Amino acid sequence: MTNAHPTEIAVAVAGFGWMGRVHTNAYLRQRHHFPEAPTIRLGAVADEVPGRAEEAAAQFGFGAALTDWRDIAADENIDAVSITAPNFLHREIGVAMAEAGKHIWIEKPVGLSSEDAKAVAAAVEKAGVQSTVGFNYRHAPAVAMAHDLIASGELGTITHSRFRFLSDYAAHPDGALSWRYENARGGSGVLGDLASHGVDLVRYLLGDIDAVVADTAVFIPQRAVPTGATSGHARATGGKLGAVENDDFVSALVRLASGGRVTLDASRVAVGEQNNYGFEIHGTKGAVYWDFRRMNELGTSLGSRYQDQPVTTVWVGPDAGAYARFQPGSASSMSYDDLKVIEGNNFITSIIDGKPQGATIADAVAAAETLDAITASVASGAWVGVH
């Protein structure tokens, strides 16, 4: 990009499953909520599934429909790229796009290990491009309010907390054996899929992680191999069965560098739990509570009573995070997609200003190092330091 303050940014999307659609909508909504943003031009979309890129171009207005993401890297008219392909492609695509001078908005967990994330980070640094990583839950206005309360000392010294990421998206035994369940393509299962979000929230709210001890389990050990391309969490029955190679569940005890303690649980097979994501954070003076399913509410216990101190529900409003960009008054609803619009604006702003905004590739590396430590702890049965 030759213009330091462009009035138009040409973007592309590599991989057009559900998340590719979410990114595309986030681009299209930028100037609805951030009118100071430059014009976003949808330059190209790439997906290897026959017909998928063409459908995306027809629906959303991409200038080119491609089957090979490498054609995006070679296009000098593309400034920035969303990498929303499966996990095993993150490293290859991320490195290639950075080396081609493209700014990258890449979904977590940025590959299959911390080595993958570090390779992308090295390419980003060498190329001097900007990076944004899809840790969207930190952008909820209520989470921003919790961050400010903790940072201001309103809760005192943080003592112990619980973070949970429980879902049922893989609870049905007929769920197809997609790439998500393979080590070579999906990586670490629910650890990379949901626990990575939990790790990022722990770091964002409470600071660096020092050590972990953990356990994982696979509760549905076999699934049917699909006969064609799958998207989302498709079902498959009657076919050949294959082994589920990565974790359905993880539970970790976490020691913070500050001395605080955290429990982190994540499951993709929790029957009765639909996106039950959230935290309870306790300090020596107070506490905060957040549930993604009630995204614009924050439970707070503040004051100086300590014992029998009440909990108040705060309906967050325009003074919290980016809330005012979406709603004029407190207690109006926001959505998951709104969090991606905020994340997308961090990406666009980083390109305009030439400075990192929000969650970056450095956060992805730090989260991946914690996930690697959890994996090592499961193997050894011992506490493992995070480096």
Side-chain angles (χ1 to χ4, degrees):
M1 179 178 295
T2 57
N3 185 353
H5 296 282
T7 58
E8 179 181 271
I9 294 176
V11 302
V13 177
F16 207 79
W18 168 68
M19 187 55 72
R21 291 177 176 269
V22 172
H23 276 229
T24 301
N25 281 317
Y27 285 131
L28 293 172
R29 293 177 57 194
Q30 282 303 303
R31 298 193 73 181
H32 294 205
H33 304 283
F34 300 90
E36 70 277 13
T39 298
I40 306 299
R41 178 171 62 83
L42 301 182
V45 57
D47 197 292
E48 65 179 9
V49 176
R52 187 179 283 176
E54 288 80 4
E55 292 175 5
Q59 181 177 359
F60 294 98
F62 286 96
L66 310 168
T67 56
D68 191 338
W69 58 262
R70 295 170 184 83
D71 293 333
I72 293 176
D75 189 342
E76 295 181 355
N77 295 315
I78 298 296
D79 302 310
V81 182
S82 279
I83 301 171
T84 52
N87 296 350
F88 70 98
L89 293 171
H90 286 187
R91 176 174 180 166
E92 183 181 9
I93 300 177
V95 169
M97 294 302 176
E99 289 179 343
K102 318 295 187 191
H103 306 286
I104 60 171
W105 179 8
I106 187 168
E107 277 304 315
K108 39 56 61 185
V110 188
L112 307 180
S113 67
S114 63
E115 292 306 310
D116 285 351
K118 289 175 182 176
V120 178
V124 165
E125 182 177 7
K126 183 177 180 180
V129 297
Q130 296 299 320
S131 66
T132 293
V133 177
F135 290 128
N136 44 267
Y137 297 104
R138 63 158 65 189
H139 304 308
V143 174
M145 178 179 287
H147 179 275
D148 291 345
L149 287 171
I150 294 166
S152 70
E154 289 286 334
L155 274 60
T157 300
I158 301 303
T159 52
H160 56 90
S161 309
R162 178 187 175 222
F163 287 70
R164 67 188 186 281
F165 276 76
L166 308 176
S167 186
D168 65 353
Y169 69 77
H172 202 293
D174 291 339
L177 189 72
S178 68
W179 60 267
R180 293 182 181 276
Y181 302 100
E182 301 175 15
N183 287 332
R185 296 196 295 166
S188 57
V190 77
L191 186 59
D193 189 19
L194 295 182
S196 60
H197 282 297
V199 168
D200 181 68
L201 278 183
V202 170
R203 292 186 61 254
Y204 175 65
L205 292 167
L206 304 180
D208 289 339
I209 293 171
D210 185 59
V212 297
V213 65
D215 189 26
T216 60
V218 179
F219 295 120
I220 302 179
Q222 291 186 315
R223 295 180 183 272
V225 177
T227 57
T230 60
S231 180
H233 307 293
R235 305 276 175 84
T237 57
K240 177 183 177 182
L241 293 179
V244 172
E245 298 175 348
N246 51 32
D247 45 279
D248 286 331
F249 168 84
V250 60
S251 182
L253 299 179
V254 177
R255 291 176 181 164
L256 300 174
S258 65
R261 299 295 193 265
V262 176
T263 61
L264 170 61
D265 298 317
S267 176
R268 63 188 181 188
V269 295
V271 174
E273 302 287 5
Q274 295 86 42
N275 298 333
N276 182 0
Y277 310 152
F279 54 74
E280 301 99 42
I281 298 173
H282 298 269
T284 53
K285 293 170 55 180
V288 290
Y289 311 83
W290 181 69
D291 186 329
F292 168 67
R293 298 165 300 179
R294 305 175 71 93
M295 190 169 72
N296 296 307
E297 300 178 17
L298 184 69
T300 64
S301 181
L302 306 173
S304 58
R305 291 177 58 177
Y306 301 100
Q307 187 177 6
D308 299 325
Q309 184 162 283
V311 176
T312 300
T313 297
V314 177
W315 284 273
V316 300
D319 59 342
Y323 183 98
R325 297 288 189 161
F326 297 84
Q327 301 293 345
S330 300
S332 291
S333 297
M334 287 179 61
S335 70
Y336 174 92
D337 284 12
D338 292 338
L339 302 185
K340 299 306 268 192
V341 174
I342 298 169
E343 189 174 283
N345 186 256
N346 285 336
F347 182 46
I348 298 303
T349 301
S350 72
I351 295 171
I352 297 298
D353 293 347
K355 299 177 182 178
Q357 301 283 337
T360 69
I361 191 66
D363 294 299
V365 169
E369 289 177 334
T370 299
L371 299 186
D372 282 357
I374 289 174
T375 299
S377 173
V378 172
S380 68
W383 283 92
V384 173
V386 178
H387 305 291

